[in-house]
Amino acid sequence: MSAVYNGSQQQQVYLQHHKNRNEVARRRWKILARALQKTSDIDTTPMNVDDIISVRRFTTFNLVTSKPLTLNNSSRDTAASWFEYSATISQDTYSLNIRHPTRSFTAAELMGFNNTGNICVWPSEEVLAYYILCNLKYFSGKTVLELGGGMTCLAGLMVAKYTAAANIHVTDGNISAIDNVQFIVKHNGLENRMTCSVLQWGDIQNRPIDKHISAYDIILSADCLFFDEARQDLIETIWALLNEGGTALVMAPRRGRTYEKFAEEAKMRGFHCKSKQYYNEHVWNRHLKLKQNCDYDENIHYPMLLRLRKTYGENSHDS
Ligand SMILES: C[S@@+](CC[C@H](N)C(=O)[O-])C[C@H]1O[C@@H](n2cnc3c(N)ncnc32)[C@H](O)[C@@H]1O
C-alpha cells in the first residue's frame, strides 16, 4: 500500500529523494574519479557498497589472460588499445580481440548513466566467460541475451564465437560501452553471429524496446546486483525477457547482502532460484589459492552463481 502525504510531508519526501540521488551521484563520481585516475595511494578501506566497488587491487582470476595486440597501419585505432584475451581449457585455447577505450571521460559522461562497465572487465564477467567455455554444449540451439555486459560483453562474445547458439544479443545501459562492443564485434568478424544494443533495465515496462530484443532461452549477467536502485528493474527485465522454461545465469560476488537481496527479491517475483558457490572445479581451486592473498576478499571478489528459472506451476526454492 502506498503512503499518503500532506503538502509539507510531500516536500520533505521530494527533498529527501533528491538528496539521495545527489549522494549516489557524488559517490559514483568519487569511484570513477579514483578508478580513472588509477591512483595507487587511495584509501581503499571499504565503507559501503559503492566504496567497495572501487577496491581494484584484485583484478583477475587469471582464467582469461590478456596480451597487447599491435594492429597494422590500416586498422590503427587512436582512441583505444587492443588486447588478445585468451583462455585455455583442457588442450583448447579460445581467444578474442578486445578493445579498451583510452579516451578520458567528460564530466557530463561521468555524472551521466552508470559508468562502472567502462572501467574494466570485472572478475565476474571473466569467470562467466570461462564458465561458458567449459559448458559450450549447453548453448547449442539456444537464444542468448547478455544484460549489463559492460564495455566488452566478454561472456556474450564467447557464446557468439565458440558455441552453436542460435541467436546472441548483448546489451548494456551505457552507450559508450555499447559503442565499444560494436567495434569488438566487427573486429572479430562476428557481425553475422550476434547483435548489440543499449538496453536500460528500467525501460522495459515503459517503452517498446529494440527490434532485436524478444524473449530468450538463456540470459547472462555479471556483477550487476549491487545497484540498490536498479535491482527491481533488473529482476523485471529478466522476467520480461526470459522464455518460459528459460534460465538466467547471474554471476556476482556477495558484496555485503546485495547478492542475497537480489536472490530473495527474484524468488518473490516467482523465479525458481538456485544459488551455487561451487560450480566449477578450476574456478574453485583458483579461489582457494587466492584466499592466501591479502588483496583478495571473497565477499567482494568471488562470484557466486545464481540460476533463475522461469517455470510456471513449480514452487521456487533455494538449494
Ligand atoms: C560493474 S559493471 C559490470 C559490467 C560487466 N558485466 C563486467 O562484469 O565487466 C555493471 C554494469 O551494469 C550496467 N548497468 C547499471 N545499471 C543499469 C541499468 N539500469 N540498465 C542497464 N545497464 C545497467 C552498467 O552500465 C555496467 O556496465
Side-chain angles (χ1 to χ4, degrees):
M1 195 179 80
S2 50
V4 179
Y5 298 108
N6 65 28
S8 107
Q9 283 170 322
Q10 264 174 1
Q11 199 182 20
Q12 288 287 329
V13 171
Y14 177 83
L15 290 173
Q16 187 58 41
H17 175 72
H18 277 266
K19 206 171 146 219
N20 292 345
R21 282 179 66 125
N22 287 343
E23 177 61 13
V24 169
R26 191 188 64 75
R27 287 210 223 116
R28 278 202 191 124
W29 169 266
K30 211 169 84 185
I31 292 158
L32 287 160
R34 283 181 183 178
L36 296 169
Q37 285 163 5
K38 294 187 177 66
T39 52
S40 56
D41 56 343
I42 53 174
D43 174 13
T44 55
T45 312
M47 282 144 57
N48 54 44
V49 170
D50 275 352
D51 285 325
I52 283 168
I53 71 165
S54 68
V55 179
R56 287 277 300 144
R57 284 205 197 129
F58 170 78
T59 54
T60 173
F61 282 85
N62 272 319
L63 295 162
V64 180
T65 54
S66 67
K67 65 171 198 257
L69 274 178
T70 318
L71 301 182
N72 61 31
N73 273 347
S74 61
S75 42
R76 184 141 295 158
D77 185 348
T78 50
S81 309
W82 284 84
F83 295 84
E84 184 189 41
Y85 277 41
S86 61
T88 302
I89 294 157
S90 305
Q91 312 302 329
D92 300 315
T93 297
Y94 303 89
S95 69
L96 273 167
N97 292 345
I98 295 292
R99 183 179 194 263
H100 290 194
T102 46
R103 75 186 179 91
S104 45
F105 291 88
T106 64
E109 282 171 313
L110 286 174
M111 294 302 281
F113 190 83
N114 188 304
N115 262 294
T116 53
N118 288 321
I119 295 171
C120 60
V121 177
W122 294 85
S124 296
E125 185 82 24
E126 176 197 8
V127 173
L128 183 57
Y130 184 83
Y131 180 79
I132 287 165
L133 294 173
C134 294
N135 294 280
L136 296 175
K137 288 204 177 108
Y138 179 70
F139 295 86
S140 293
K142 300 285 194 334
T143 55
V144 182
L145 171 72
E146 178 162 9
L147 296 173
M151 67 174 187
T152 67
C153 293
L154 186 66
L157 277 149
M158 287 297 188
V159 174
K161 185 159 178 191
Y162 289 111
T163 77
N167 171 346
I168 304 105
H169 187 69
V170 296
T171 67
D172 192 87
N174 183 292
I175 190 163
S176 309
I178 291 303
D179 283 348
N180 193 55
V181 173
Q182 243 142 17
F183 276 107
I184 298 173
V185 169
K186 193 160 176 234
H187 187 95
N188 287 279
L190 293 170
E191 303 101 309
N192 296 328
R193 273 296 282 150
M194 65 184 296
T195 47
C196 59
S197 69
V198 171
L199 172 66
Q200 296 185 357
W201 310 325
D203 286 357
I204 206 81
Q205 291 92 359
N206 308 335
R207 61 181 168 95
I209 47 171
D210 199 280
K211 65 180 185 326
H212 298 296
I213 312 255
S214 52
Y216 291 82
D217 301 323
I218 300 175
I219 293 183
L220 306 170
S221 169
D223 210 351
C224 288
L225 308 189
F226 59 92
F227 311 110
D228 286 336
E229 70 280 14
R231 188 179 304 123
Q232 206 55 49
D233 287 337
L234 178 56
I235 291 171
E236 286 305 324
T237 303
I238 298 175
W239 187 266
L241 297 179
L242 195 60
N243 272 333
E244 192 177 336
T247 303
L249 300 176
V250 177
M251 276 214 183
R254 289 188 189 276
R255 289 194 198 274
R257 282 203 68 239
T258 57
Y259 174 87
E260 208 180 321
K261 279 191 196 163
F262 181 86
E264 281 164 9
E265 287 176 32
K267 200 169 155 186
M268 273 160 53
R269 181 62 179 88
F271 282 109
H272 179 110
C273 303
K274 199 167 187 175
S275 170
K276 282 196 174 182
Q277 187 177 26
Y278 178 93
Y279 43 83
N280 178 284
E281 190 187 354
H282 207 58
V283 174
W284 185 249
N285 289 340
R286 282 285 155 97
H287 161 67
L288 293 182
K289 246 194 187 151
L290 280 162
K291 280 177 88 156
Q292 287 145 37
N293 174 341
C294 61
D295 289 337
Y296 181 74
D297 176 348
E298 174 168 2
N299 181 268
I300 54 174
H301 297 131
Y302 182 74
M304 301 284 292
L305 173 61
L306 185 66
R307 276 170 189 272
L308 304 181
R309 283 202 302 131
K310 203 169 140 188
T311 47
Y312 293 110
E314 264 187 65
N315 287 332
S316 56
H317 67 268
D318 283 314
S319 61

